[in-house]
Amino acid sequence: MGTISADFTDETVVITGGSSGIGRAVALGFGDAGATVVNADRRAEPKDVDAETPTHEAIEERGGTAAFVETDVSEPSQIASVIEAAREFGGVDVMVNNAGVHRDLEFLDVTPADFDAVHGVNLRGTFFGTQLAAKDMIDRGVEGAIVNTSSTTAERPEWNHSHYAATKGGIQMLTRSAALELDDHGIRVNAVAPGPIATEIREGWADEARDAIEESDGLPSRTGIPGDLRDAYLYLASEGASYVTGETVWVDGGGSL
Ligand code: NAD
């Protein structure tokens, strides 16, 4: 099978939650494709045990340009600060709203505090990440792209995911609604819905997921690794996707079949 290449030279990508897991793989992908990458995360250090170098340093070691801005995406003023910081590099051309959290809880056990914590990062963070990036693009006359991280749980219920799935269903509809209203400004809004991916989104899940990969017979429904997601984000952010907006691309190894 062939490969595709992407060129984001002279473009600035802001990615939230780029220190670990999927966000790190996507940030490295944009860095390799020539973009200046601004990672907005609560922590610079990756959670992944095998990844010791913070993402922005890893991008620079590979010859790219990157920065880290400590950010809590549940607080819109902090997202605004990152977007402001991106102006130092010419301003945001691509916004990737990827930061997310999960709490493994049965529906009957979810408290209002659990609900607010998960919604604050996943849905509120993505909503205002999309809105504030779009306002900045409009102010600068930039026809940019926004890519959000949804999940297959947006449409497929799973045990212990009710509060999380509700945020992802919200992200899917936010993506479509924002795409509709931002179309006049030439801004495209899309999402990627990963299936189960081996990351430390909850402690111990990466090992569990890696075991599942070893035991699986392949497609359909093998567990994924963060690198499986990278090209979907690059594609949706690229000129090649100029006729694609309001879409959620499922990348789940066929698990939803
Ligand atoms: P991860 O825990 O490895 O990465 C999430 C990153 O988000 C971390 O670096 C974390 O520090 C950061 N983060 C958390 N709260 C934040 C906040 N308030 N402000 C800024 N940054 C914050 O997990 P991951 O699996 O790579 O998750 C990335 C995205 O993918 C999430 O939106 C998640 O819901 C989604 N997703 C993951 C899976 C999976 O199976 N791993 C499946 C579907 C969707």
Side-chain angles (χ1 to χ4, degrees):
M1 278 189 281
T3 54
I4 56 166
S5 63
D7 183 5
F8 284 87
T9 308
D10 297 331
E11 293 191 38
T12 298
V13 178
V14 173
I15 179 163
T16 70
S19 296
S20 304
I22 295 168
R24 178 178 171 88
V26 172
L28 292 173
F30 276 112
D32 289 345
T36 295
V37 179
V38 180
N39 173 25
D41 199 303
R42 265 197 317 216
R43 46 187 279 166
E45 304 72 34
K47 291 178 180 175
D48 323 31
V49 278
D50 300 330
E52 286 164 6
T53 314
T55 303
H56 62 293
E57 290 178 15
I59 291 171
E60 295 203 323
E61 279 171 9
R62 291 152 83 130
T65 308
F68 169 74
V69 181
E70 189 178 329
T71 311
D72 178 354
V73 297
S74 64
E75 186 39 68
S77 65
Q78 295 193 23
I79 302 176
S81 300
V82 177
I83 289 169
E84 181 63 35
R87 286 197 176 209
E88 191 187 321
F89 305 103
V92 57
D93 297 293
V94 175
M95 179 79 188
V96 180
N97 294 296
N98 164 77
V101 291
H102 178 259
R103 293 184 181 186
D104 201 23
L105 292 166
E106 289 186 27
F107 172 63
L108 294 176
D109 293 335
V110 175
T111 65
D114 294 320
F115 182 94
D116 288 346
V118 173
H119 270 67
V121 180
N122 297 11
L123 186 52
R124 184 175 151 97
T126 303
F127 189 100
F128 288 103
T130 301
Q131 187 205 61
L132 293 167
K135 283 186 178 185
D136 192 71
M137 289 172 185
I138 292 165
D139 284 352
R140 291 179 298 112
V142 167
E143 298 193 338
I146 298 171
V147 187
N148 297 327
T149 300
S150 179
S151 159
T152 52
T153 59
E155 290 186 22
R156 261 182 106 228
E158 281 179 35
W159 284 93
N160 299 351
H161 276 67
S162 59
H163 57 323
Y164 174 90
T167 68
K168 297 301 185 176
I171 288 171
Q172 203 156 306
M173 202 55 207
L174 155 69
T175 298
R176 299 183 70 198
S177 305
L180 180 71
E181 294 198 26
L182 295 174
D183 183 59
D184 278 352
H185 300 282
I187 298 171
R188 295 181 302 103
V189 189
N190 290 291
V192 176
I197 308 298
T199 72
E200 282 297 314
I201 188 159
R202 58 184 168 81
E203 211 181 325
W205 162 238
D207 280 345
E208 254 177 70
R210 273 193 285 264
D211 290 347
I213 294 173
E214 277 172 25
E215 285 162 19
S216 79
D217 298 327
L219 294 173
S221 87
R222 78 164 166 81
T223 299
I225 56 170
D228 288 326
L229 277 304
R230 183 192 53 220
D231 286 359
Y233 287 82
L234 265 64
Y235 165 67
L236 290 172
S238 76
E239 195 56 36
S242 61
Y243 199 51
V244 181
T245 193
E247 192 58 68
T248 296
V249 174
W250 285 41
V251 183
D252 70 344
S256 56
L257 296 176

